[in-house]
Amino acid sequence: MKSSHKIFLVIFINLVTCFGIQKLSYAQIPEELLYKAPKEVDITHLATIKGFQKNSPVLKLIKARISITYIDGKATLNDSKDWNKNYLIASGFHKVKIISNAQKVFSYGMLTFEAKPQQVYQIKNNQAEKKKGDDLIFWIENINTGEIVTPKESFNTYTNQTQPTYTPVILNK
């Protein structure tokens, strides 16, 4: 190693040690942009909503997954592994933005619904059951009653098809 590289490495290590690695952090998202559960004292006025996941019965492969990313314009910072996180919501009308990302299909959109007190809601889709050529549709279902509380809607959907990889082969004669 050249002496100039060694000097740079020593200076870099000293700077990291002096200023501390803890000072390196992710950008902070302002609190007013994040979803927070209602501060309702009376729990009888609240409902819950969560995403959805369906696995294949044999191999447990994910056949459909939906994550909630925004509730009423506020970010949940949810990712796909937290699809089953329950969010407390007040009774009344809500706009829920979702992302679906399973089986090389990515879809997103927004559903609006009215939450009733003490009910449990889940966002669902037909991805696991749909046949080729069928639209991917989403809806919100009341888990307590089985009632579908939104119209079934298609969203922007993108398919990530794998591209063939060509490897050049040289044949000697």
Side-chain angles (χ1 to χ4, degrees), residues 37-149:
K39 301 266 190 271
E40 189 75 36
V41 176
D42 187 1
I43 197 144
T44 61
H45 293 123
L46 299 177
T48 61
I49 188 166
K50 68 178 180 176
F52 173 74
Q53 182 167 299
K54 185 167 188 172
N55 298 332
S56 61
V58 179
L59 300 175
K60 302 297 182 205
L61 298 173
I62 298 169
K63 295 182 73 76
R65 180 186 303 159
I66 303 168
S67 305
I68 298 172
T69 57
Y70 286 84
I71 299 174
D72 299 328
K74 305 288 184 176
T76 63
L77 300 182
N78 198 358
D79 58 19
S80 59
K81 72 179 184 318
D82 291 331
W83 65 269
N84 62 346
K85 184 174 180 179
N86 286 307
Y87 292 96
L88 279 174
I89 54 176
S91 56
F93 285 93
H94 296 278
K95 289 184 179 182
V96 180
K97 188 172 184 182
I98 58 104
I99 288 178
S100 175
N101 61 346
Q103 293 183 330
K104 300 178 186 173
V105 174
F106 176 83
S107 188
Y108 66 93
M110 191 171 314
L111 294 167
T112 302
F113 77 109
E114 182 178 7
K116 306 275 189 212
Q118 298 182 331
Q119 298 300 305
V120 179
Y121 297 94
Q122 187 171 36
I123 302 167
K124 293 194 173 184
N125 70 8
N126 67 333
Q127 185 169 354
E129 294 81 26
K130 81 180 195 75
K131 294 173 180 53
K132 189 172 184 165
D134 289 349
D135 282 345
L136 181 59
I137 55 174
F138 296 84
W139 65 90
I140 296 178
E141 191 172 302
N142 182 327
I143 299 301
N144 297 344
T145 65
E147 175 189 9
I148 296 173
V149 298

